[in-house]
Amino acid sequence: MEAKYNFADRFGDQVLRCSKCGLCQAVCPVFGAMLRPSYSARGKMLILKEVMDGTIELSDELIETLFQCTICKSCFENCPSGVDVPEIIRQTRRDMVQIGSCHPAFEGMNEVLKNHTNIYAEDEPEDFERERNKKAKYVYFIGCVGSYREDEATMSTLDLLDRLKVDYTLIDEVCCSGVLEDLGYQINERLARKNIDLILATGAKAVITGCPYCSRTFNSKPQYAELNDKGIKIIHVTQFLKGMDFGVKTDKLVTYHDPCDLGRHCGIYEEPREIVRKIAPRFAELRHNRVDALCCGAGGGVRGAYPKNSIAMARRRLQEVEEVGADVVLTECNSCVHNLSNAKLRKQKFRIYNISQFINELMEGTE
Amino acid sequence: MDETVKKALLDIVREENFSDSLIDLISDSYDASEHKHRPDVAVWPQNTEQVSAILKLANEYKVPVTPRGAGTSLSGTTVPVQGGIVLDMLRMDKILEIRVEDRLVVVEPGVVYDQLEKALDSYGFFFPPDPASGVVSTLGGNVAVNAGGLKGVKYGTTKDYVLGLEVVLANGSVLRTGSRCMKCVSGYDLTKLFVGSEGTLGVITEITLKVNPKPPAIATCTAYFDDMADAGSAISETMRSGILPRTLEFLDDQCIVALNQGTDLNLPEVAAMVLAETDGFTQEGADYEMDKVIEVFERNNARGITRAYSPEEAEHLWTARKSFGGVITRLKNNFIVDDTTVPISKLPEMLTGVKAISKRYNVPIATMGHLGDGNLHPNILYDGIDPEEIARVRKATADIFKLGLELGGTLTGEHGIGLAKAEFMPLEHDEVAMEVMRSIKRLFDPNNILNPGKMGLEV
Amino acid sequence: MEIRGYNMPEDLYYEQNHFWVRDEGDVLVMGMDDFAQILAGEIVYVQLPEEGKILKAGKRFAKMESGKWLGKVYAPVNGELVAVNEELETNPGLINDDCYGKGWMYKIKPEDKGELDNLMHTHEELDTWLAEDIEKYVKE
């Protein structure tokens, strides 16, 4: 008997393998912040089991949990039964979109990207006082959050690249649209084409980006395969900066937050730390780090659809920063910086920066 | 459910702590067992006053109330089989006091076990029971079920550490039991009545726990046995060799096969593997006890005895035991885990008996457990779709219970009766005991609203 | 008073980015107006700079966000930021619930209260302004 929904077809055996042990509750950021069983990976699997056995159908009533997952992969890393909840959620969201049951914020994002260049439908990015679309060795791809929400951080990173005399250019970039694949939609081909054309036109041999989500999208999605085919490398800025000497140090106590998209999704844990240790001899790990890092709460579309819960998750992560007594939290993902900064309380005196931004501040002597 | 009741609940806990949404009703239908049933509503009380108001309301309208912590019960203890209200205690999650000078802590029921352990660490203290679910299970749940754990051999179980409780009774009145003293024999020991009562006599809203100084020294070893009965003897002999290890864990051949299939541990495919751990305030002490353990093991034909000489090596030795949960569902997609417990001297017979049952019904059973206190965990594996297989599994389960009882054991060492073993209660408790238990239940809960349908106490 | 369906109290002064200012003697209180809070949707974040920050009229000194929108907050007058509404840190939705009362955002010690004359105040000014902005921003 063929399954009614694609998620059941592709992942039914995994959904059934969930033994309901509940261990995911220890690591799920949504559950951890909201303490609501329906939000944990187990809750989602129990609901999908009932869909599979016909007790309920996919419907609007399920949106609140099926669309509230940051796709951080912590559950999968800790599931004794190896249930790939993130993949199952991605497919289920596609099924939900097909039947017309999608979170309005995600539907909205898909629509916005049909008609605009970025997820915020804002048409005037900061110009960052730099030329775009030149011929150069590297393209620096900022990403939507960096362009429209964390412009200060982006400016700092670009200043750093200038100090290091990197031959790069910005482009009239548009949203990589990779996020749509997490929301139940697909990459916007028009936008992908635009990015590819702009990148190729610069003659660059590599694209550096501060956004690990964009770098993952360029590296793994077929719509961007042409870049790989033409030998263009995609590098996250931490991979680019690794090995360089900046000649600056701080005596502040510094810690590092692993972005999910760089860490669990790409396995990049040590390169950023190498850079951080070079500039910050006083380094402390957060309680949950590397593969166990606690998600900041912004991913999987959650910051757009459930902003208050998203910020509550970030606040939980920041408690770990407080615990360790750090003066500075470094990361390299604008989405993390954005969500963590929004969540930081006034009484919390530590500062939050991208690594590249912080190095620039040190070099400028303004940190 | 009456709209009046829903509205009244909303008034008590407010919108953000109330749900009758489908997603919550579904999630709260389940725990970690095979049982399920939908509730009508879920509420998250913030304090004792709210719990009291909720129970008073439920008692008046005769609405069932099922308390819930992390929902990791293996016995169906927290499945709302008669619908009604799920009382989710997770948002009462504060550690109220840590007073090592009085050797106690006071916690709200929603505090996760691990959360307490981490808080105690900096004081050099620990809370011994150490249930395997400790990363997620809550102290309210641990107390309600009298949870055991990996260190039960030496340190006993949850009940040995509960000094006092605050419990809301079915009519909403708030009862305080016990004392903040290390010793108290004033009045009836009501505390012990509620510990392990599985939410059927009252809802726990505050817990005072005794804590221990944490021994810094540990010694760990693993050993293999070609004969399962040897492993059983090794364990029971260790327990009378004049020392007290803190952990004695057992994995049978089926467990080893599963581990080799699901990991790259490459364990020797023997009849049994045993892990032993001792602790002490000096390394000499811990090592002395470990020497004795190893002597006993050698006398019982153990081979491949590996001893850890560093924390990293110890962690490595624990890998097999800790990985087992992860490999079970790769063999078959369903399993029932029981916790039949027998007197220590009966272990060899029990282990052999379980093997025979597995053969008799042609149902794979991977047995592991805290054999140091006679607590087996037979994992009965099955596919869950074939009704004929399910029937055989039920028979095998029943036979394991009967065997355990015949050997002077008990239906459950630590997971509780819940739904899973309810029908077998009369096999373990005679009519006098059953009637006394029912009377107590009737006394505390005349309208049978507190977690009804559990523990086989239905009149 | 109600203007074109929005609550715009007449004792307040209004800055063109839809922030109101109330004269409380030594100090000016500032917040977001009804038109903007409705358009923005539920406010989820308000930046609360350190007290003592020097404000330059027309210059951005803070930012705020709703689920879908990032707003820049511009100083309506020259002065010094002397207080912020700390409630907004954990309950930014107060701006939606009560934008003129509990949802106040900043308190400013003005350099020269005369600068209030640069802001909109009369019924006529507000009506014209709202008409324009409704046209611009309120999509059918």
Side-chain angles (χ1 to χ4, degrees), chain A residues 207-257:
Chain A
V207 177
I208 308 171
T209 178
C211 175
Y213 204 97
C214 297
S215 64
R216 272 179 63 211
T217 303
F218 292 153
N219 266 328
S220 64
K221 296 299 173 195
Q223 291 85 346
Y224 286 99
E226 194 175 329
L227 292 176
N228 196 13
D229 293 342
K230 295 215 154 81
I232 296 176
K233 288 169 50 119
I234 313 294
I235 321 171
H236 183 258
V237 72
T238 50
Q239 296 168 298
F240 182 75
L241 295 175
K242 180 187 87 134
M244 291 192 184
D245 273 307
F246 306 103
V248 281
K249 273 202 203 326
T250 178
D251 59 3
K252 298 220 160 87
L253 182 60
V254 169
T255 187
Y256 175 70
H257 162 78

Side-chain angles (χ1 to χ4, degrees), chain A residues 34 36 38 42 50 80 287, chain B residues 24 30 38 71 91 118 326:
Chain A
M34 311 310 297
R36 201 166 151 185
S38 56
R42 171 171 73 163
E50 292 211 359
R287 171 188 297 201
Chain B
D24 296 301
Y30 298 84
R38 290 254 185 104
R91 288 178 192 172
K118 291 201 169 72

Side-chain angles (χ1 to χ4, degrees), chain B residues 122-144:
Chain B
S122 54
Y123 293 87
F125 273 68
F126 78 129
F127 176 58
D130 196 14
S133 60
V135 284
V136 289
S137 61
T138 62
L139 289 161
N142 295 160
V143 170

Side-chain angles (χ1 to χ4, degrees), chain A residues 346, chain C residues 49-55 79-84 107-109:
Chain A
R346 293 181 100 220
Chain C
E50 290 289 311
E51 290 89 339
K53 189 179 178 101
I54 302 299
L55 306 178
E80 183 190 325
L81 184 68
V82 293
V84 299
K107 288 196 175 150
I108 303 168
K109 192 168 97 185

Side-chain angles (χ1 to χ4, degrees), chain B residues 229-243 245 248 292-293 295-301 344-345 347-348:
Chain B
D230 280 344
S233 313
I235 289 172
S236 52
E237 256 186 68
T238 303
M239 296 308 293
R240 58 177 190 272
S241 65
I243 51 103
L248 265 186
K292 285 266 180 274
V293 170
E295 262 177 54
V296 170
F297 282 8
E298 281 168 348
R299 263 206 312 276
N300 283 278
N301 307 315
I344 300 166
S345 60
L347 277 172

